Amino acid sequence: MPQHDPRPLRLHVPEPSGRPGRPTDFSYLHLAPAGAAPQPPIQVRAADTADLAASLVRVLDDEGRAVGPWAPQLDPGKLRAGLRAMLATRIFDARMLIAQRQKKLSFYMQCLGEEAIAVAHSMALREGDMCFPSYRQQGLLIARGVPLVELICQLLSNEADPLKGRQLPVMYSRKQSGFFSISGNLATQFIQAVGWAMASAIKGDTKIASGWIGDGSTAEPDFHNALTFAHVYRAPVILNVVNNQWAISTFQAIAGGERATFASRGVGAGIASLRVDGNDFLAVFAASQWAAERARHNLGPTLIEWVTYRAGAHSTSDDPSKYRPADDWQRFPLGDPVARLERHLEAIGEWSAQQGEQLRSDIEAEVIAAQKAAERHGTLLDGRVPSADTIFEDVYAQMPAHLRRQREQLRSGA
Amino acid sequence: MTMIQALRSAMDLMLERDSRVIVFGEDVGYFGGVFRVTEGLQAKHGRTRVFDAPISEGGIVGSAIGMAAYGLRPVVEIQFADYFYPAYDQIVSEAARLRHRSAGDFTAPITIRMPCGGGIYGGQTHSQSPEVLFTHVCGLRTVMPSNPYDAKGLLISAIECEDPVIFLEPKRLYNGPFDGHHDRPLVPWSKHPRGEVPEGYYTVPLESAAVQRIGSDLTVLAYGTMVYVAEAAAAETGIDAEIVDLRSLWPLDLDTIVESVKKTGRCVVVHEATRTSGFGAELTALVQEHCFFHLEAPIERVTGWDTPYPHAQEWAYFPGPGRVGAAMRRAMEA
């Protein structure tokens, strides 16, 4: 061994290439052309998906053509339904952002730029399957036709809020739509999705679960718990990692994305894994369907990293111009999922600019009407919220004596 | 039955009665648990009902919550209460609050079994009594049996309960009652009346305390191993103590406590857990609030010291009959 004076060690702290006033170099994304990634059989061994986990499944090319082995056979009607749900999600978000600025609601989180993932994934699942979403999958609810009035009542915490004003806006819960109760605590739902899937397998059911997590939250222990349990018990679950490049102000490299994809974590845990263009509606649908088929055939879990971009602010309490370039989304190489699907529909002669305008104005009117209907049940501004008495309910199945006493104290002002 | 056999009997019975009941945890399946509490259950009920889990407390509790959301009734084991901490997020932020935050849309009827307590030379990480970290959490039920009969009846109640239940099992009591006299031979449960356990189904209701010893001089509020320590202290001091075994720590049976303290006018609170902000502080406050005008002496607390649980100094740490007896005398002299 040669002896020499060691140089001082240096701590590596990843930095995004782009900061305010300095454009992002997106070459770190390691993109692949549309149609290039192969589609393995659903029986594929996890180890044999290593290349897919490092590459990118894409269907729509720059001209809006669907190319390659992943191109799904979706009839134009379904594509239009998907476009409608994506647009509804985007228009709903924009409207609620305004409502937050008007102080009608205290808080909001949009999913601008990520609409394709939730919507197309939802369309690949079946009735009875259960999603364990994070707070940025409102597209699941809208794709499933949940009444917008109900969603807005939750956002307003008003007298008709199905969650009785207990939850922060956007923390929806809707069992009947296969949408698990959202928690503020990150990543917890990822392992719960695996447990739900295990239960379905224990009971010999045919339903599958779909767990959701962001790039930043993959650093939480429950991400690893979920991968381990899903692998060990071959749980019928789809593990979705939505890599929108940002966790509030933190670039995905700080979450561990610098020299390894999030999909590669799945391969390391023995789970078949895909890395997919999250702004490509057709690719999202095809990959989701492939993973769902695997799960339904007892072939076990699939991890999918959806590569997308968080186009909007993290939340209404966030100002992204403080930590990233203002024009970042315009420069993001995977573009806008809505525009890309519209281009595809136009390319196959199933869509026109006029239809797009009509659809947008229809949805605008629908959202405005829903907002008006919801506001009739009260808003934060007018204080018409569920009665204070109700905070003591549902803590337990039956109200214990100490909560009955406390409710009495509240009533009497003691 | 021993407490081990009683707990096993409760799970065996519930596995048979209710196809939604699932038992899992580290070493719980084939091997039957490091304390033998699940011995034979996998062979009898099959690997999809009773199974081994990876060493991941967060994974065990998190997956159980998902199973409960599906409609199962998971009964999971954390090998030692000292090791529940990685699951705390799932317990506090998820299991405890799921019903409330979803307005009943989803619920988490899970039972989390954890062997707890000291007196076994378990050192820092095999002796802790973390009950207050659960009693403080709204939405949880925290239960601790002190004998085989209650252990079976309470565990069945816990499994049937629609709320998440933290089921703490004092491992010092697994094979026999223990009064803190570590220099004396172990008395097996077969020689104790509460070791008589029916084979079949019965329940001990939650939120119900048991008056373990009727007395008139003072009230001792205790649970787990401390019930027997208090009994020994009463016998050795000659003080006619009324010993209340809380059984359900929270929500608890306030009526039985208040009735007893109002009768005796004096109260000693005893637990193994460390003192400051321990569950005894809540018990002391409740007695003060509800029995103030009946109290003839300050409420005494005998607890573990505010230190990590030591190894070599086991019996200097464990609140034995000597320390409990001294507190009872102080309460009588005040």
Side-chain angles (χ1 to χ4, degrees):
Chain A
M1 287 281 286
Q3 292 292 319
H4 57 82
D5 288 339
R7 281 174 302 171
L9 297 167
R10 275 182 311 146
L11 180 71
H12 174 65
V13 182
E15 258 292 293
S17 57
R19 283 297 192 190
R22 189 174 76 226
T24 300
D25 172 6
F26 282 107
S27 63
Y28 76 88
L29 287 172
H30 298 293
L31 303 180
Q39 185 183 58
I42 57 172
Q43 296 82 0
V44 69
R45 294 185 320 146
D48 295 336
T49 62
D51 287 346
L52 280 164
S55 180
L56 196 67
V57 173
R58 302 178 73 184
V59 171
L60 291 172
D61 68 12
D62 292 342
E63 279 73 52
R65 289 174 304 207
V67 297
W70 285 91
Q73 303 309 312
L74 268 173
D75 71 67
K78 271 212 144 175
L79 292 175
R80 280 192 295 266
L83 178 64
R84 186 181 213 290
M86 280 203 287
L87 269 172
T89 304
R90 181 168 295 184
I91 291 166
F92 182 82
D93 276 359
R95 194 79 208 169
M96 293 307 112
L97 211 57
I98 294 167
Q100 195 277 335
R101 296 307 184 214
Q102 295 170 332
K103 296 187 168 38
K104 286 175 176 172
L105 42 127
S106 64
F107 178 77
Y108 193 71
M109 302 178 100
Q110 38 173 351
C111 66
L112 183 66
E114 302 174 33
E115 296 92 341
I117 301 166
V119 169
H121 185 82
S122 179
M123 290 173 71
L125 296 180
R126 288 191 195 153
E127 177 116 21
D129 296 339
M130 183 65 73
C131 285
F132 287 74
S134 80
Y135 46 64
R136 226 185 286 281
Q137 276 79 50
Q138 54 264 56
L140 293 170
L141 291 163
I142 291 175
R144 285 162 185 216
V146 175
L148 300 183
V149 181
E150 189 187 310
L151 298 182
I152 300 170
C153 286
Q154 195 281 327
L155 297 172
L156 294 170
S157 288
N158 66 15
E159 287 172 349
D161 173 6
L163 306 184
K164 302 184 184 178
R166 292 173 189 156
Q167 276 274 49
L168 202 64
V170 314
M171 307 276 177
Y172 309 106
S173 175
R174 210 170 195 277
K175 192 179 193 173
Q176 67 191 104
S177 302
F179 191 94
F180 185 73
S181 158
I182 293 179
S183 169
N185 296 69
L186 297 176
T188 51
Q189 76 287 347
F190 216 48
I191 175 68
Q192 292 164 1
V194 176
W196 196 97
M198 289 169 67
S200 183
I202 287 167
K203 297 306 282 181
D205 204 340
T206 57
K207 295 174 195 142
I208 64 169
S210 179
W212 296 82
I213 201 166
D215 45 287
S217 303
T218 61
E220 291 281 4
D222 277 332
F223 174 71
H224 305 273
N225 293 340
L227 265 56
T228 302
F229 277 62
H231 166 73
V232 168
Y233 300 108
R234 218 173 287 173
V237 64
I238 307 173
L239 297 166
N240 300 281
V241 180
V242 181
N243 180 2
N244 68 15
Q245 317 305 322
W246 293 95
I248 308 186
S249 72
T250 307
F251 182 55
Q252 57 104 37
I254 284 277
E258 194 168 51
R259 285 196 178 85
T261 68
F262 293 101
S264 69
R265 267 69 161 187
V267 181
I271 295 172
S273 300
L274 305 173
R275 189 166 178 267
V276 180
D277 180 345
N279 293 1
D280 178 340
F281 185 90
L282 296 178
V284 175
F285 181 86
S288 300
Q289 196 177 43
W290 185 84
E293 284 304 299
R294 278 177 49 76
R296 283 187 218 290
H297 283 87
N298 268 313
L299 296 166
T302 305
L303 184 143
I304 307 176
E305 175 185 347
W306 305 106
V307 180
T308 184
Y309 188 83
R310 196 197 75 211
H314 163 70
S315 72
T316 50
S317 308
D318 174 49
D319 175 7
S321 73
K322 296 278 194 286
Y323 51 80
R324 71 182 191 190
D327 65 343
D328 227 23
W329 190 32
Q330 283 74 51
R331 301 185 64 262
F332 181 66
L334 300 178
D336 173 349
V338 172
R340 286 175 66 191
L341 182 57
E342 279 191 296
R343 195 179 313 148
H344 172 64
L345 277 166
E346 283 167 15
I348 60 173
E350 294 287 345
W351 199 243
S352 66
Q354 295 94 306
Q355 277 174 289
E357 275 167 42
Q358 184 63 47
L359 179 60
R360 281 172 171 83
S361 80
D362 287 353
I363 295 170
E364 285 279 0
E366 197 184 308
V367 175
I368 289 168
Q371 189 180 351
K372 282 197 178 126
E375 285 176 7
R376 280 199 279 278
H377 297 287
T379 70
L380 271 188
L381 282 177
D382 69 16
R384 278 195 290 144
V385 298
S387 98
D389 252 22
T390 61
I391 64 178
F392 300 102
E393 295 163 6
D394 299 324
V395 181
Y396 298 91
Q398 262 90 42
M399 195 181 298
H402 71 285
L403 290 183
R404 291 200 301 274
R405 278 197 302 277
Q406 289 175 22
R407 185 177 61 179
E408 224 23 74
Q409 287 171 348
L410 175 73
R411 282 173 178 167
S412 66
Chain B
M1 288 185 196
T2 66
M3 192 184 280
I4 290 168
Q5 291 164 331
L7 293 163
R8 184 192 305 145
S9 170
M11 283 186 276
D12 186 17
L13 206 121
M14 291 310 292
L15 280 160
E16 205 151 281
R17 279 172 75 98
D18 187 343
S19 65
R20 299 170 302 170
V21 173
I22 302 294
V23 173
F24 67 102
E26 295 156 23
D27 302 300
V28 160
Y30 182 85
F31 179 60
V34 293
F35 291 106
R36 320 311 302 152
V37 179
T38 55
E39 188 170 31
L41 296 182
Q42 183 179 75
K44 182 170 172 189
H45 300 281
R47 264 207 317 267
T48 60
R49 304 282 309 282
V50 181
F51 51 88
D52 290 314
I55 303 174
S56 167
E57 290 77 15
I60 290 168
V61 175
S63 62
I65 292 167
M67 291 180 196
Y70 176 92
L72 301 187
R73 295 208 166 239
V75 182
V76 298
E77 180 182 297
I78 302 291
Q79 203 157 76
F80 286 85
D82 314 64
Y83 300 133
F84 86 85
Y85 303 103
Y88 204 36
D89 192 25
Q90 288 287 346
I91 294 171
V92 175
S93 311
E94 303 293 321
R97 295 209 294 251
L98 186 55
R99 175 188 297 276
H100 194 254
R101 77 170 193 233
S102 71
D105 199 22
F106 293 93
T107 61
I110 63 176
T111 303
I112 307 176
R113 294 181 38 244
M114 305 181 194
C116 71
I120 56 148
Y121 283 100
Q124 296 212 352
T125 57
H126 297 79
S127 305
Q128 294 170 40
S129 297
E131 60 269 18
V132 76
L133 298 177
F134 305 114
T135 55
H136 184 61
V137 179
C138 45
L140 295 181
R141 291 181 179 273
T142 304
V143 174
M144 193 192 298
S146 68
N147 60 69
Y149 181 89
D150 285 353
K152 179 172 174 180
L154 285 168
L155 184 54
I156 292 173
S157 288
I159 295 170
E160 290 184 333
C161 181
E162 299 297 328
D163 304 316
V165 180
I166 305 295
F167 197 88
L168 294 162
E169 302 167 2
K171 54 188 147 343
R172 193 61 182 81
L173 301 181
Y174 268 158
N175 291 306
F178 178 66
D179 62 9
H181 286 294
H182 51 92
D183 45 352
R184 297 177 191 169
L186 175 89
V187 181
W189 281 116
S190 56
K191 301 236 167 66
H192 193 280
R194 300 297 269 177
E196 269 174 47
V197 178
E199 290 290 336
Y201 174 91
Y202 67 93
T203 59
V204 171
L206 305 180
E207 289 180 63
S208 83
V211 178
Q212 174 86 3
R213 180 187 190 282
I214 297 170
S216 55
D217 287 346
L218 60 71
T219 298
V220 178
L221 302 181
Y223 47 90
T225 309
M226 287 300 125
V227 168
Y228 304 98
V229 174
E231 271 188 336
E236 288 158 25
T237 56
I239 294 170
D240 186 22
E242 179 142 301
I243 300 171
V244 178
D245 177 359
L246 299 180
R247 300 198 294 198
S248 284
L249 306 195
W250 198 262
L252 51 55
D253 177 358
L254 186 63
D255 292 345
T256 299
I257 294 169
V258 169
E259 195 186 324
S260 177
V261 177
K262 282 185 174 173
K263 181 178 81 175
T264 62
R266 295 167 205 271
C267 181
V268 177
V269 174
V270 191
H271 59 58
E272 285 185 63
T274 54
R275 183 181 185 88
T276 303
S277 300
F279 189 56
E282 184 62 37
L283 292 173
T284 304
L286 283 171
V287 170
Q288 193 272 352
E289 284 163 13
H290 291 270
C291 310
F292 183 74
F293 294 106
H294 293 80
L295 284 174
E296 292 165 39
I299 303 162
E300 287 278 347
R301 266 193 289 169
V302 188
T303 69
W305 308 119
D306 280 342
T307 71
Y309 206 111
H311 184 240
Q313 302 85 353
E314 175 78 61
W315 306 115
Y317 183 92
F318 185 91
R323 279 174 61 201
V324 175
M328 288 163 63
R329 282 199 200 91
R330 283 196 302 276
M332 290 311 296
E333 287 159 8

